[in-house]
Amino acid sequence: MRVSDRNLLNTFTAVATLFVAGLWVDRAAAETADAPPGNGAILEEVIVTAQRREENLQKVPVAVSAFTTQALQQTGVATAQDLARVTPSFTSSSLLGTTDEISLGIRGQRTADERITNDGAVIAYVAEVPIARPIGVGTTGFLDLKSVEVVKGPVGTLFGRNTTGGALLLTPNTPTDRFEGQGRLTLGNFGRESGEGVLNLPLAEGVAFRIALTDGTRDGYVKNRAAFPDLNSEKYQGGRASLLFERGALKSIFYADGVHYSSSGAAGRLTAVNPTGLANTIFPLGVGGGMDQALDEQRASGFWSVRTSGETFDRSQVWGVSNTTTYALSDRVTLKNIVGYRDSRQQAHTDSGDSPFVVLQASLPEYAKQFSEEPQVQYDGERLRLIGGAFYFRERGWGGGYVNTFGPAGYSTDSDEPAENISKSVFTEGTYSITDKFKLTLGTRYTWDERRYSPSIHADYTQNLAASALGVVCVETDAAGLPLPGCRAFERASYRKPTFNLTGQYELSPAELVYASIRSGFRTGGFAVGSQTVQQRIPYNPETVVNYELGFKGDFHLGETALRLNAAAYYSDYKNIQKTVVSCIGAAPCALIARVENAAAGKIKGVEVELTWRLRDNLDLSGFYSHTNATYLRYSTQGPGGVTVDLSHQPFANLPATQTGVTARYVIPVPGHDLSLQANESYQSWENLSEDEAPEPGIRQGGYSLLNLRAELPVTPWMTVALWGRNVLDRRYNVAGANAYLTLGFAAMYPGEPRTYGVDVSAKF
């Protein structure tokens, strides 16, 4: 038996043991199972919307990690990256060089490059509106939230943007009928200064307004050894406003949000150099070559230190509006409509070479405008609960910019790539109570997707001292290899797919639930960014996932303590995986062309356990564990002469097989106040930080743990002071990688945050 299979078997055994132990303890403590002792601890009820209606987390037959506003504040979760430290099977990091655009992963499914011609494996929703381009979510997505939910597994029936990995649901606070407000000021190292303010105003009976504003700055934490600003600084201003109108059976909430963000950008830290690679050949300075010399310099410098050959930056501007309206036709039937519009713009300049030489620089402008509309009908009967509706989504945008390889010794690739994406679907899902304890859910959605792509790409040799006479050359070619008229292609592709959900759930007791489900989802097809030839412009098909899952949810009272245990085991059949591979085109000697194809199939299996244990009213413990075993069943590319190269042994990128964490919160009574102490430590195993199909040296991140601490003291009934520290032990770790070892001749990784610390002062009225 292989070590990985043995580990998975041991993990399944551990989970099964927890199930049995939980059931045994619950039966043994029957007298206290249904109701806690008079002086016993009580767990907070958590409300989620994973099934598009408000429900108790413990009654939902879906694997969901959910956090209330209070839980987010106590754990210090302010970004999606923080959320990954307290959530099983969930990963999040900034995209290369674009610190405000996040890449989300769940259960081994993640998209490294969410450009206008493709979609993410995981989609973020704000106020139930899908955010196709997650720009701005990294900064203000967590501003003034009611709750955060990580829904795991395919969301192919109830959510409009079909995804294979899951969804991140961000639910803002809505206006209330009370005049109230709050504010928070944060000061920390690296010159961190940020503030948040929230004001809620009741305007009239059934009418209220709420506004939340944020402003912040921070210096760069990665030193730039060149004469350019230090990297990973940030400056932002943003906010969200909402207006509630409620009259009888009608309830309507309008949202508007926006953010303006700027940063000195990010750059890769050189980790490996190919001695015979192009970079060493083109820059042969000093003994051993120019890039070897740059690598030696990097190793002699600090971990949070790089050298860029030019100035880097990241700027974005996002705004959006939406409305959610519900109307109760009767006690059983409710009409609901969700409409949203979003405009996002970004400009980033990146440098991945980490040397005095222009090895690989890119300018990545992008803008997108999206509109979505979703009408629903909900029915709540005595035994049948039903939801149905339609979804329409349209996105128009543009990507492009330029990639400069080797500066005056090479050339720039200039891209102009507009695209349009349209998605339409109809759906229905119902849950029927066959008995008081057993319920069956059946859901289905049919989706029609369409993509339009019009690339225009040129090669610019004007800076090349040896080839400047070539000037600017059109490289957008037809089947004969000739430049297209106007140097622009016009491509179009359409797809249609059904998806389904079949779930059975059984209540072992009022506080215990088991469920089994089969769910499917897909990530729609599209076009590869930067396609130049007919072969590269061939569209790829949707990738699909069928997920089989067993789960358990239970609340227990053990003496005077309260315990919540949620666990799930799953198996995902993953097909038509979209990968960038090399194809050998034409007769011998054939031409090697890189393009995106449905080049792989795989299986993903794993387990997740979440535990919350309230030992006393002043002592809470919580923890999680997840193990994800992802392997390719088929994955190949081609080499010179059309020889097939088997890549099925390669690891899934950006996937730590093991993630675990524990959080302890202890409240110490002091005269007139309660001092709250909290510690959180998370661990993840090694991961490959490159989507490249042939990982080489320099992009493997070893396993590491991070320790966060927080101490919070209410100094008055309306003011609280908190001291906090993140990555207290100053661990060195990387969050992304650039692998060009076999092509340009180098690999680089992007460092995560070092130790940070500071103070929060918050007030409310």
Side-chain angles (χ1 to χ4, degrees), residues 196-489:
E196 293 182 9
V198 179
L199 181 64
N200 189 92
L201 294 171
L203 303 178
E205 184 177 354
V207 182
F209 175 77
R210 187 180 185 95
I211 187 169
L213 300 174
T214 183
D215 184 286
T217 62
R218 187 196 63 198
D219 298 335
Y221 60 80
V222 175
K223 178 178 176 55
N224 194 339
R225 300 192 303 276
F228 303 109
D230 291 342
L231 302 164
N232 296 92
S233 69
E234 61 180 17
K235 182 178 181 179
Y236 58 86
Q237 302 87 33
R240 178 184 293 114
S242 52
L243 177 67
L244 168 69
F245 179 83
E246 191 168 10
R247 283 289 187 274
L250 176 67
K251 182 177 181 180
S252 186
I253 306 175
F254 298 86
Y255 299 94
D257 67 279
V259 61
H260 183 275
Y261 178 89
S262 63
S263 167
S264 55
R269 183 178 58 87
L270 198 62
T271 53
V273 170
N274 187 341
T276 61
L278 277 173
N280 251 355
T281 303
I282 292 175
F283 303 114
L285 300 179
V287 178
M291 288 299 287
D292 276 337
Q293 191 173 335
L295 180 59
D296 291 339
E297 178 190 339
Q298 171 59 52
R299 289 172 173 170
S301 305
F303 180 82
W304 288 279
S305 172
V306 301
R307 175 193 288 273
T308 64
S309 57
E311 186 173 0
T312 61
F313 58 83
D314 174 25
R315 304 183 186 112
S316 61
Q317 184 171 319
V318 183
W319 65 273
V321 292
S322 66
N323 172 264
T324 301
T325 297
T326 58
Y327 184 77
L329 289 177
S330 67
D331 292 340
R332 298 183 182 274
V333 180
T334 300
L335 302 180
K336 185 176 183 178
N337 189 75
I338 306 161
V339 60
Y341 176 84
R342 198 164 191 85
D343 183 302
S344 61
R345 300 170 187 268
Q346 183 179 64
Q347 171 70 62
H349 185 80
T350 68
D351 186 346
S352 299
D354 187 16
S355 73
F357 321 112
V358 178
V359 180
L360 180 62
Q361 291 184 349
S363 177
L364 304 172
E366 178 182 5
Y367 77 80
K369 300 178 180 180
Q370 70 166 64
F371 170 81
S372 62
E373 163 72 13
E374 182 176 2
Q376 298 178 5
V377 179
Q378 297 182 6
Y379 173 79
D380 288 317
E382 292 183 2
R383 289 197 172 273
L384 176 65
R385 303 183 71 185
L386 187 67
I387 180 173
F391 178 80
Y392 175 81
F393 175 90
R394 184 170 186 172
E395 179 185 37
R396 291 179 175 175
W398 178 87
Y402 70 86
V403 176
N404 188 344
T405 307
F406 299 138
Y411 64 94
S412 294
T413 301
D414 301 333
S415 303
D416 175 11
E417 302 177 85
E420 182 177 16
N421 307 312
I422 299 173
S423 182
K424 296 174 284 188
S425 59
V426 292
F427 67 95
T428 184
E429 183 165 297
T431 299
Y432 185 74
S433 299
I434 298 176
T435 69
D436 291 341
K437 293 182 176 293
F438 180 65
K439 297 178 182 178
L440 186 66
T441 298
L442 177 63
T444 183
R445 178 184 287 263
Y446 200 90
T447 302
W448 298 264
D449 285 340
E450 182 178 346
R451 289 199 189 276
R452 300 168 186 171
Y453 175 51
S454 306
S456 176
I457 302 177
H458 294 80
D460 186 349
Y461 292 91
T462 55
Q463 299 300 313
N464 189 312
L465 301 180
S468 59
L470 293 174
V472 179
V473 180
C474 173
V475 294
E476 200 69 60
T477 59
D478 60 16
L482 300 175
L484 286 170
C487 199
R488 187 173 298 279

Side-chain angles (χ1 to χ4, degrees), residues 44 133 145 255 328 353 367 399 487 518 562 575 584 602 618 624 722 730:
E44 177 185 7
R133 310 299 139 200
L145 291 182
Y255 299 94
Y367 77 80
C487 199
I518 305 175
K575 294 181 178 179
C584 206
N618 66 335
F624 73 90
D730 211 24

